[in-house]
Amino acid sequence: MQTNLTIRTKRFAVDVWHFCNKLPNSRGFNSYVNQLIRCSSSVGANYRASQRAKSTADFINKLKIVEEEADESLYFLELIREINGDVSLERELSLLLDEGEQILKMVVASINKAKSNQ
């Protein structure tokens, strides 16, 4: 059975991918877009890997990687918000930022819970 966070991280990666397909193509801009796609995809993949952890310490370490990738996704979304001049994408960008922040909070809560149970 997939957890809520597993489903949300996968959906986040898909939503980011669709959003990025709407962004303009330019050499300088594409490097930020590629980084955003990489880190948003890694959030879900690394979260799935954390579910297979052999110990609590391993679980916490893998979740810290997820936390870093989620935080990096937020950074690139905020950077794209500043660079992108297309106001028609602003609502979608805001929704992605909100979802990324919620995922980050859930991951941090999972880390804190695992630490308290350790």
Side-chain angles (χ1 to χ4, degrees):
M1 184 176 120
Q2 290 187 324
T3 66
N4 183 36
L5 193 51
T6 303
I7 294 166
R8 286 180 79 168
T9 56
K10 188 184 294 183
R11 184 80 246 157
F12 179 67
V14 169
D15 290 345
V16 165
W17 180 264
H18 287 299
F19 173 75
C20 289
N21 281 330
K22 297 174 186 176
L23 293 173
N25 285 324
S26 72
R27 179 174 273 179
F29 197 66
N30 285 348
S31 63
Y32 296 125
V33 171
N34 289 338
Q35 284 293 94
L36 173 59
I37 290 170
R38 184 201 55 77
C39 58
S40 66
S41 299
S42 294
V43 169
N46 287 325
Y47 182 76
R48 280 183 64 181
S50 74
Q51 300 304 295
R52 296 186 299 274
K54 304 282 188 225
S55 67
T56 304
D58 188 32
F59 176 70
I60 292 169
N61 288 335
K62 288 182 178 178
L63 278 182
K64 285 182 180 181
I65 294 169
V66 176
E67 179 185 15
E68 290 171 6
E69 294 291 346
D71 191 44
E72 192 174 337
S73 294
L74 289 172
Y75 171 77
F76 283 108
L77 283 168
E78 290 167 358
L79 188 61
I80 287 170
R81 172 182 260 169
E82 300 228 355
I83 295 170
N84 184 40
D86 189 349
V87 292
S88 67
L89 298 175
E90 184 61 32
R91 178 169 158 60
E92 191 173 355
L93 186 54
S94 293
L95 290 172
L96 286 172
L97 281 163
D98 289 344
E99 181 64 13
E101 288 171 2
Q102 289 176 20
I103 288 170
L104 183 59
K105 287 177 186 175
M106 292 171 75
V107 169
V108 169
S110 297
I111 291 170
N112 292 336
K113 183 177 179 182
K115 283 181 179 179
S116 68
N117 291 339
Q118 194 174 26

